[in-house]
Amino acid sequence: MERTLQASPDAVFAILADHEGYLRFPGVDAAVLEEAGGIERNGVGALRYVKIGAIRFWERIEAYEPGAHLAYRIERSSPLPMRHDVGEIRLAATTNGG
């Protein structure tokens, strides 16, 4: 999936990497940083817990390149197991400044 936003890659990355800030998104009932990353608080190694309705999952951050790349994998989920080896977000500026 590809989307063009009227925001800089740095601004978009800051929102996506703010794990506890996921509460601002509609439908998210809980968002907690359970383990900080090794170098950056929300960076590689960080574990976040997210609850959306009855679904709960724990995501481990696998890649963290501010303004460019964020990757994660779901380590566990409830009430049903979810197989999700990797989710990746890649950001790049466009010619119109977005």
Side-chain angles (χ1 to χ4, degrees), residues 63-86:
Y64 185 90
E65 299 170 45
H69 182 217
L70 184 70
Y72 61 91
R73 69 179 157 79
I74 295 178
E75 288 192 342
R76 64 184 163 121
S77 62
S78 176
L80 299 172
M82 187 183 311
R83 182 177 173 135
H84 191 277
D85 294 331
V86 66

Side-chain angles (χ1 to χ4, degrees), residues 13-84:
F13 188 90
I15 291 169
L16 295 174
D18 176 18
H19 305 317
E20 293 149 322
Y22 273 46
L23 284 172
R24 75 179 126 223
F25 297 127
V28 176
D29 300 313
V32 177
L33 180 65
E34 291 197 344
E35 295 176 23
I39 297 172
E40 299 276 350
R41 183 172 189 271
N42 292 317
V44 174
L47 180 68
R48 65 181 173 192
Y49 162 78
V50 179
K51 181 178 184 287
I52 301 172
I55 300 169
R56 298 181 308 251
F57 51 92
W58 290 259
E59 297 176 329
R60 181 77 62 186
I61 302 303
E62 302 277 313
Y64 185 90
E65 299 170 45
H69 182 217
L70 184 70
Y72 61 91
R73 69 179 157 79
I74 295 178
E75 288 192 342
R76 64 184 163 121
S77 62
S78 176
L80 299 172
M82 187 183 311
R83 182 177 173 135
H84 191 277

